[in-house]
Amino acid sequence: MPHLFGVEWAPLNIPLTRRLQTLGALHFFFITLFTPVLVLTLPLYLLYTVFWPLIAVYAVWMIYDWSSPRKGAYRSEWFQRQRIHSWYANYFPVQMHTTSEMPEEHNYLIGYHPHGIISMAAFINFATNGTGILDTLPRIRFHLCTLVGQFWTPWRREWGLLHGMIDCSRESIKHVLEHEEKGRAVVLVVGGAEEALDAHPGCHILTLKKRKGFVKIALQTGAQLVPCYSFGENDIFNQADNPKGSSIRQFQTVMKKILGFSPPAFYGRGVFNYTFGLLPFRKPINTVLGAPIPVEKTLNPTQEQIDTLHETYMNKLRDLFEEHKTKFDVSPTTQLVIN
C-alpha cells in the first residue's frame, strides 16, 4: 500500500466487491451525518422557489405523522433487505451470533452493549437484514431505539421509521412491548451518550450500574430481558484521549447535558486513504445475542425487584462476555468493566 506525506493511500486495483462495500459505508455516512445538514438547509432555499408547495405538503405530512416514532414506526422488510445493507455489513464485516432460541410467544427487551461511537453494529444487525436477522429469527419483529431528535429531520425520519426504528422514550418502548401481538423485540443501547465517551479501541467499559429504567420497563411489560454484546464495536474508530476529569471530557459532559448526546472527538479512515477520515476502519464486529432472561410481569415493581433483576442481567452479561471473548481476539485476562 503506497505511502505519501505520511498518509497510507488505497491502491487503485481494488476488487469491485470491496468498492461496493465502501459504497455501503458511504451510504450510511451520507444518511447519518450529511443528510441532517442538507434537509435542514435545503427547505429554506426551496421556500423562495417555485417548489415551495412541496415544503408545505411535507410540513402537513410531518404534523400528521409526528407520533409514529412513539407508535411502533412502520417497518418495511423491503427496505431492510436492500442489498446495500449487506454490502455495509460485509465492509467490516459484522456477524451476528445467536446463542438461544427466541420463541415468538414472548416479547423481548434487548440490551445492546457497548455503545461505541455511533452504534454501527446495532443498526446493521437489528434495523436491517445485513447479517440475516430476518432469516435467522423470522418471527421476531425488531425495533431499534434511537434519540428522539433523530426524528426531527425531514426525510431521514421516514428512512428510520421504514427500518423499524423508534424513539427511546419510555412511552415508545412500552407501546411496542405491551402490544397484544407477541414476537416483538425492542433493542436499546443502554449505555447511551456517556458510554460513547469510553469507546476506545481495546476497551470494554460500560455505563450500566445505575441504568435501571429498562429493567423496570421489562418488569412492567413482562418482556424477557436479553443481553447482547458486540465485540469490536469500540475498535472501528479512534477517539481522542479523554479520561474523566480532563478538560475535553468536561467539555463533552457539558455538551451532552445541553444537546442530549456527547460529541466524541474521533476519526477513522477515508475513501481513498487508510489514515484519516470519517469512515469507520475495516475491523470485524461480532455481535453475540444472549439467552433471554425470564421476567414475571409486575405492574408496580418494588425497588428490590428492580435491583434483583438488574443484578441478574449484569451477571448474565458478564457471563456472555467471558464465554465468548477469546473467540473474538480479546485477551483471556481482559475484564468487562461496568460503571
Side-chain angles (χ1 to χ4, degrees):
M1 300 176 189
H3 287 74
L4 184 65
F5 305 118
V7 177
E8 184 180 2
W9 298 94
L12 296 177
N13 58 335
I14 294 178
L16 177 61
T17 301
R18 289 180 68 86
R19 292 190 185 279
L20 292 175
Q21 292 167 0
T22 302
L23 178 62
L26 282 170
H27 165 261
F28 185 81
F29 169 81
F30 178 81
I31 295 293
T32 56
L33 298 179
F34 180 71
T35 299
V37 177
L38 178 64
V39 299
L40 290 176
T41 56
L42 184 60
L44 297 177
Y45 167 75
L46 293 179
L47 281 174
Y48 298 95
T49 70
V50 294
F51 298 105
W52 69 264
L54 295 176
I55 306 303
V57 170
Y58 183 82
V60 172
W61 157 255
M62 196 169 182
I63 294 170
Y64 170 79
D65 193 52
W66 189 252
S67 64
S68 288
R70 301 191 305 275
K71 302 298 181 182
Y74 30 80
R75 174 178 174 269
S76 165
E77 283 200 15
W78 184 84
F79 271 88
Q80 293 179 306
R81 289 182 181 275
Q82 290 300 298
R83 187 172 299 177
I84 199 163
H85 297 316
S86 297
W87 295 343
Y88 188 36
N90 292 328
Y91 170 88
F92 296 94
V94 178
Q95 291 183 297
M96 166 68 79
H97 308 271
T98 56
T99 62
S100 175
E101 294 184 354
M102 294 177 66
E104 62 180 302
E105 59 264 25
H106 300 291
N107 287 335
Y108 303 91
L109 180 49
I110 300 171
Y112 180 89
H113 314 272
H115 184 284
I117 296 294
I118 315 180
S119 302
M120 293 285 192
F123 172 79
I124 292 171
N125 282 310
F126 298 110
T128 81
N129 196 45
T131 55
I133 193 74
L134 299 181
D135 304 310
T136 304
L137 298 168
R139 299 186 183 277
I140 305 298
R141 293 170 58 90
F142 292 92
H143 294 274
L144 176 63
C145 294
T146 188
L147 294 174
V148 177
Q150 298 282 8
F151 298 102
W152 294 348
T153 51
W155 184 75
R156 195 180 68 155
R157 68 184 301 277
E158 285 77 26
W159 178 85
L161 292 166
L162 286 166
H163 286 85
M165 298 173 73
I166 59 175
D167 77 41
C168 58
S169 65
R170 182 182 300 270
E171 174 190 355
S172 175
I173 296 172
K174 293 184 74 172
H175 176 85
V176 173
L177 296 179
E178 290 177 341
H179 200 282
E180 59 183 25
E181 181 183 343
K182 300 300 181 181
R184 294 172 179 259
V186 170
V187 182
L188 181 66
V189 186
V190 180
E194 183 63 29
E195 191 171 277
L197 299 180
D198 290 319
H200 296 275
C203 292
H204 300 273
I205 303 173
L206 305 184
T207 300
L208 180 58
K209 274 188 180 178
K210 296 181 180 180
R211 302 284 170 106
K212 300 182 180 181
F214 74 106
V215 174
K216 184 176 181 180
I217 292 176
L219 283 164
Q220 291 173 330
T221 61
Q224 296 194 354
L225 281 173
V226 183
C228 178
Y229 197 89
S230 277
F231 295 89
E233 180 73 64
N234 285 345
D235 298 336
I236 58 176
F237 287 107
N238 289 326
Q239 183 174 185
D241 192 29
N242 60 340
K244 291 185 177 181
S246 64
S247 298
I248 186 173
R249 186 62 170 252
Q250 291 173 357
F251 170 77
Q252 290 171 323
T253 300
V254 170
M255 294 303 293
K256 178 169 67 73
K257 292 179 180 178
I258 296 173
L259 301 175
F261 63 90
S262 56
F266 70 94
Y267 70 92
R269 52 158 290 181
V271 178
F272 303 109
N273 79 85
Y274 302 139
T275 305
F276 66 90
L278 292 178
L279 292 184
F281 293 113
R282 283 181 178 263
K283 295 186 177 181
I285 303 176
N286 288 278
T287 302
V288 183
L289 191 62
I293 302 169
V295 176
E296 184 177 348
K297 186 174 182 178
T298 309
L299 292 179
N300 297 295
T302 65
Q303 189 60 50
E304 182 181 2
Q305 289 173 311
I306 295 172
D307 291 343
T308 299
L309 182 56
H310 184 258
E311 187 65 32
T312 298
Y313 177 85
M314 289 195 296
N315 289 335
K316 292 293 185 181
L317 180 60
R318 287 192 188 95
D319 292 344
L320 189 72
F321 180 85
E322 289 297 321
E323 181 181 351
H324 295 276
K325 65 182 182 182
T326 55
K327 300 176 186 177
F328 306 120
D329 297 325
V330 177
S331 168
T333 59
T334 299
Q335 300 294 312
L336 181 65
V337 178
I338 298 181
N339 293 329

